[in-house]
Structure formats: structure tokens, C-alpha cells
Amino acid sequence: MKKTLLALLFTAASGAVPAPKATDPMPPISLMVDATTVSLGVVHARPEDEGFKSLFGTAWDSIKTRTGGSGSALDLVSSFLGRSTTNILLQLLPFQMVRVDHFDEQGRDKPSFMVTMSGFQGLQGIFYSGLLNAPDGKPFETEKVGKETVIIRAKPGQKREEALVLARVNGTFYGFADLETAHRILEKKTAANPELVKTLPLVNQEQDTYGVLLNRQNSVLRFFEWANRRDFEAIKASIGEEKLNKLFEHVTLVTWTGDLISDDRMDMQVRWRTDSPEASEALEDALSTARKTLAERGRTGEIRLTTVDTEVLLDIQFTGYRKMLQDYIARP
């Protein structure tokens, strides 16, 4: 969650200037799901959402007081935005970000993204033009995939087939793990993963964040490492990495919903499904240990664990977002 918000705030805001116009439509999340998809996560912020308004307000206050001086990208962004007397960040709302994961034949995680910042159409062209060229000013190669033109952002020495692929469709930006993924999703070459499709309607999609994660090729472990590596490393140290890995082998499915209450707190409900009642009991013990570790780091408030047969339901308050955001913006 932290990575998602910070990436959206600062990647998007770097090109913001014009006044907002009519909003772009939010594309259905099903566009990103195919037969190989093992996880789908969504963050959706609305203009009337007090939690996101509070978070963006904190970000704006921090940007206005940032001293910087190192010439970093954050310096450039804060200097640029600081010229405005109104909070430009709020004009990005509403936005939606969708992340999907799949694994290739070698077991490598291949995440792709779909990001819509529909409240600020003036940003779209400015941001897109900045994606067309490499740091040396040379234009990236483009290719027609289905009805869309994609940008193949190959790094020096990187094969075009392995490069990140970007596309812009109306007011939505797509980031594909590679060219093969872009073809598969944009051309709808496969049907959606039936297990994921079956589970998704059971999740409350009116929340600020929600998702489904099927445990394939250790995807649960990889996902939590991506979501917040520092906190997850502390959890692994407290539980024991080998023990945690063995526990996750018995997890078959994870679903979650979350509501951003303020700039410092998110209330989440995470449902874990395991392959046996014994695995659920062991997982509950591990989650209790993880909660104590996060509490010591100032990251959690109230928590409730409920275990029924092969499922563990975790209700938890995550805290500490305000300081993390302020520290991120204040860094040199």
C-alpha cells in the first residue's frame, strides 16, 4: 500500500499544472485479468474520500516545507509544485491503480499495472510525452499491439522482448512486464483465470483497496515482500524465515479489503485460506507474533484474529503512514 501511494503521488505529480477538466472513465479491472493471473490488487481513491484527502493534504504540506538541495527528482517536483497556492495533488482524484501478477515458465514474477488519474486530464499528455524518450533523448521503439501503440522501454543492452512495455488508452496508463504480456492482455488471447474470477465477487469492491491472491509458486511471500519489504523483513526475523516459508506453503488463498481512515491509519480485513485446520492454527500463532513485531515498529493498532476450520480472518488497524510519507518527502 505504501509503495502504491507514493509512486502515484510523485510519479504522477511531476507533470501536473493545468486546471482539471472532465474526468476520464475508470476502465473495468477485468481488462487486466487473463488465464495466467494469480493475483489482482486495486487501489481506488475518490474525490469525496476523506482518508485520501487527508493523505494528500499531508503530502502537500510536506512538499511546501521541503528544503531539499540535492537536485534529486523530489527536489524538482517539490520546487515545481511549491509555486502553486492550491493543492495540485487533490486534482489527481479520482484515481485507480490495478496490479496483476503472473509467473513465467522459469517461475519469475511478472507484475503489470493499470493506472487511471481521471481527475486531471491535462496531466495525461504531459506525462505521456515524457515516456516516449530515453534519458539520452532518443525515442524508444514503438509497436502496434492490437488496436494500441505501445512503447518498448528497453534499457541499454536489454532485449526488446524483456523490456517494460507502456501504453496509453484514453486516460489510462498500462505498464506491462514484457512484450509477450502486452500482446496477451491487450489482444485478449486467453480467458480469465476461473478461480480468481470466482473469488473476486466475494470481495467488497467499494473499499479503498481490495484484492485476491492465489498462492502459486510462492506468490503470497513475494507479494508481501513487494508491498512493504522493511516491515516484512522484521516479521521474517521474529517468526523465523524457514518457519514462515513452510507456513505459507499451506496457504492457498488470501483476500483483503482496506479503508483509508486518515493520513495515518488504514483499517484492513485480510482473509487467509489454508489447506487444513492445523495449518490455520499455526498461521494464527504466526500472525499474532507478526502483530507484536509491527506494534513495536509503530505500525499497528487494534487487531482481532478469528479462526474457523481452514480460514483465518484478520481485522487490523495499520498506522504510521503519516510519518512514512513525511520522511519520504523530507529525504535529501
Side-chain angles (χ1 to χ4, degrees), residues 25-38:
M26 291 286 183
I29 61 176
S30 58
L31 291 177
M32 296 294 287
V33 180
D34 70 355
T36 68
T37 307
V38 299

Side-chain angles (χ1 to χ4, degrees), residues 111-304:
S112 296
F113 297 85
M114 179 174 74
V115 180
T116 307
M117 293 169 286
S118 63
F120 210 149
Q121 289 186 327
L123 168 64
Q124 311 296 343
I126 299 172
F127 184 50
Y128 184 68
S129 64
L131 302 174
L132 297 173
N133 299 320
D136 60 6
K138 295 181 180 179
F140 285 113
E141 180 185 354
T142 61
E143 181 176 314
K144 194 76 171 180
V145 176
K147 297 179 180 180
E148 310 302 336
T149 298
V150 302
I151 310 165
I152 304 172
R153 292 177 59 87
K155 300 176 182 178
Q158 186 181 36
K159 296 179 180 179
R160 68 190 300 275
E161 292 79 12
E162 299 176 351
L164 175 67
V165 175
L166 299 179
R168 178 193 178 198
V169 182
N170 298 322
T172 295
F173 292 90
Y174 294 80
F176 301 105
D178 51 33
L179 192 57
E180 189 274 334
T181 304
H183 277 280
R184 196 178 63 250
I185 292 180
L186 289 177
E187 295 174 352
K188 288 297 175 186
K189 291 189 173 183
T190 67
N193 184 324
E195 187 175 356
L196 194 147
V197 171
K198 179 181 178 181
T199 305
L200 188 59
L202 305 178
V203 179
N204 183 357
Q205 298 179 29
E206 294 302 314
Q207 295 289 289
D208 294 334
T209 181
Y210 60 90
V212 175
L213 174 58
L214 308 175
N215 197 14
R216 302 289 186 272
Q217 296 172 282
N218 218 13
S219 57
V220 169
L221 179 68
R222 301 184 194 204
F223 184 86
F224 283 106
E225 284 181 336
W226 168 81
N228 195 325
R229 181 174 294 275
R230 287 187 178 182
D231 284 344
F232 196 66
E233 288 296 327
I235 290 172
K236 285 198 293 186
S238 62
I239 296 174
E241 185 170 0
E242 183 177 353
K243 180 179 179 180
L244 190 61
N245 288 343
K246 288 182 178 180
L247 281 171
F248 279 176
E249 289 177 1
H250 296 279
V251 174
T252 61
L253 171 71
V254 179
T255 64
W256 74 90
T257 59
D259 184 19
L260 189 65
I261 304 300
S262 70
D263 64 338
D264 198 49
R265 172 184 154 193
M266 174 175 284
D267 290 356
M268 296 197 74
Q269 184 177 83
V270 186
R271 185 180 298 274
W272 306 72
R273 183 181 299 166
T274 69
D275 56 13
S276 70
E278 293 77 18
S280 292
E281 292 177 4
L283 178 62
E284 180 178 352
D285 290 340
L287 291 174
S288 297
T289 300
R291 189 268 172 182
K292 293 176 183 177
T293 300
L294 292 175
E296 292 171 356
R297 297 169 63 85
R299 296 289 287 118
T300 62
E302 296 181 6
I303 182 174
R304 184 173 69 251

